[in-house]
Amino acid sequence: DFNNLLQVISIANEHVRKESTGEITETMLQSSNQALEHAKAIIRQLLSYARRQRLETVTLGYSEFLASTRTLLQAAEGEQVALQVRDESDDACVKLDPSQLTTAILNLLTNASDAMPNGGEVRLLATRVSLGADVELWRDLSAGEYLIITVSDDGIGMTEAERERACEPFFTTKDEHAGTGLGLSSVYGFVRQSQGDMHIRSAPGAGTSIMMAFPITAESSQMQESSEKPSAGLDGIRLLLAEDNAILARTLVAMIEHLGAEVRHFSTGDEALEHIAIHDDFDVVLSDIRMPGKMDGFALYSWVREHRPQLPVLLMSGFNDSVDTEDGVIVLSKPFGQQELSQALRSVMATQ
């Protein structure tokens, strides 16, 4: 429900930006969009802690990943904080969501910098290790090869009580307005959802080291393959929309028509199926996943795949529903922008 509300605000902001002029309007829109992005980030962090964040997993080579994000990671440095990066991963490949891994490392680097108000050095180290079943520190992991990513600092450290609660959502040792207490908990959720584990070593005055362990795969890196983006533009496309939230549906129709497509809206999956079963007056289906009635988005997708296999279907959800990407299902997470929607629709149509 909250993501549906954010989606309406996101679409409205984009429309106002295109239709309005003036410095005051632009300033207000910038503030509104900043608040929107902050709200989206909080929802992602909560879902990540609950291990319900939808991960777009690819096989990535850590060295290649590090090279592509080096500039972004350097942003964690401040006037008094130096970043030391060491890659001893031996070209290890892991199956992870690259954007979520970037966010996790940035969260840890930011926390490390904040723990050193008088400055110091933050270290990012990646090593390839072989873990046996007898390794006490990683007792929740099965024996095998792992990539260990460690972020350490020489900051104020944590007490034992603080360390034990560090991954709880909303728990923070920072000042009242300096953090939400969701950063470390979201990192932990991401690591566990990625079949890994995380450990914290810390003591007052002795700094903190946070270690993330991910299983290594023998598969080759897919990073370059997954970086290609489809072209945008929806001129002339006929789209069937299934969305039960009336406010969001009206807003989506306006957005899609603005992009040049024709839209036919249905409030439930059952109504959409009735139309799909006897009509052929559309080129692509855009459907919410969770809707009232017998036919949710997944069921609608399955029916179309069986009876109309050439008809592309794009699903969307504010729940970040977990799906088996090998089935060809593409899910767009709410809230999204016009460009994201256009690219996603073009992508599903190109694969049919």
Side-chain angles (χ1 to χ4, degrees):
D1 288 343
F2 191 71
N3 273 327
N4 280 339
L5 295 175
L6 293 181
Q7 182 66 73
V8 173
I9 297 170
S10 176
I11 295 173
N13 282 359
E14 288 195 50
H15 181 73
V16 172
R17 182 183 294 278
K18 294 179 184 299
E19 300 296 327
S20 303
T21 59
E23 184 176 345
I24 295 179
T25 300
E26 181 64 24
T27 300
M28 295 298 289
L29 278 174
Q30 287 179 356
S31 298
S32 178
N33 283 327
Q34 288 173 356
L36 179 66
E37 290 301 316
H38 184 60
K40 287 164 60 177
I42 290 176
I43 291 296
R44 284 195 299 268
Q45 289 174 318
L46 287 169
L47 288 170
S48 181
Y49 175 76
R51 305 176 200 175
R52 294 186 59 186
Q53 175 78 319
R54 186 171 61 85
L55 301 179
E56 298 180 3
T57 303
V58 300
T59 301
L60 62 89
Y62 180 78
S63 297
E64 182 184 5
F65 163 81
L66 185 62
S68 67
T69 58
R70 190 68 174 263
T71 301
L72 182 61
L73 298 180
Q74 294 290 343
E77 288 188 298
E79 293 182 1
Q80 296 180 293
V81 176
L83 175 62
Q84 181 189 99
V85 179
R86 288 170 53 198
D87 180 12
E88 300 175 6
S89 65
D90 192 27
D91 296 324
C93 287
V94 287
K95 302 187 77 168
L96 296 172
D97 183 323
S99 63
Q100 293 300 320
L101 178 59
T102 301
T103 300
I105 293 176
L106 284 173
N107 263 321
L108 297 183
L109 292 176
T110 300
N111 282 348
S113 297
D114 291 344
M116 299 185 296
N118 298 320
E121 183 180 79
V122 177
R123 295 169 293 280
L124 172 61
L125 170 65
T127 56
R128 179 175 186 152
V129 300
S130 179
L131 299 179
D134 59 340
V135 179
E136 180 66 20
L137 181 64
W138 304 105
R139 59 183 179 275
D140 291 336
L141 297 177
S142 57
E145 297 285 315
Y146 287 85
L147 175 69
I148 309 293
I149 301 175
T150 304
V151 174
S152 57
D153 63 67
D154 300 318
I156 57 178
M158 291 182 280
T159 65
E160 181 66 18
E162 290 171 337
R163 188 186 64 79
E164 289 179 354
R165 298 190 60 195
C167 292
E168 294 180 11
F170 304 112
F171 176 79
T172 179
T173 59
K174 299 178 182 179
D175 293 337
E176 181 179 356
H177 301 292
T180 61
L182 288 172
L184 202 52
S185 61
S186 67
V187 173
Y188 177 73
F190 159 68
V191 172
R192 295 295 291 172
Q193 191 175 355
S194 303
Q195 313 306 313
D197 200 2
M198 188 174 89
H199 282 287
I200 303 173
R201 285 175 172 165
S202 187
T208 299
S209 292
I210 298 180
M211 297 162 284
M212 300 181 291
F214 301 103
I216 290 175
T217 178
E219 297 179 14
S220 301
S221 174
Q222 301 171 322
M223 284 191 66
Q224 288 186 338
E225 300 173 24
S226 63
S227 64
E228 298 179 2
K229 297 293 182 181
S231 59
L234 300 178
D235 290 340
I237 291 176
R238 301 169 301 170
L239 184 145
L240 184 149
L241 171 66
E243 169 59 61
D244 63 298
N245 185 296
I247 298 176
L248 176 55
R250 288 197 301 269
T251 316
L252 278 172
V253 168
M255 172 197 271
I256 295 165
E257 289 179 341
H258 183 74
L259 288 169
E262 299 178 17
V263 189
R264 181 76 182 268
H265 169 240
F266 296 92
S267 299
T268 67
D270 297 324
E271 293 176 1
L273 178 60
E274 288 180 11
H275 186 84
I276 294 172
I278 59 176
H279 294 90
D280 190 21
D281 54 354
F282 47 90
D283 306 304
V284 62
V285 175
L286 174 63
S287 174
D288 192 23
I289 289 180
R290 306 199 181 195
M291 295 180 290
K294 298 179 181 178
M295 186 68 56
D296 65 7
F298 286 132
L300 184 62
Y301 172 86
S302 297
W303 189 95
V304 170
R305 187 172 183 179
E306 179 179 353
H307 299 279
R308 299 276 298 276
Q310 301 305 313
L311 178 62
V313 179
L314 174 64
L315 300 180
M316 55 184 175
S317 177
F319 287 86
N320 290 309
D321 295 81
S322 176
V323 298
D324 184 357
T325 55
E326 293 183 358
D327 287 341
V329 186
I330 297 179
V331 179
L332 189 60
S333 296
K334 301 174 183 176
F336 48 79
Q338 286 188 171
Q339 186 70 9
E340 292 175 276
L341 175 61
S342 181
Q343 288 179 343
L345 285 168
R346 281 293 181 187
S347 180
V348 297
M349 294 180 71
T351 57
Q352 293 299 109

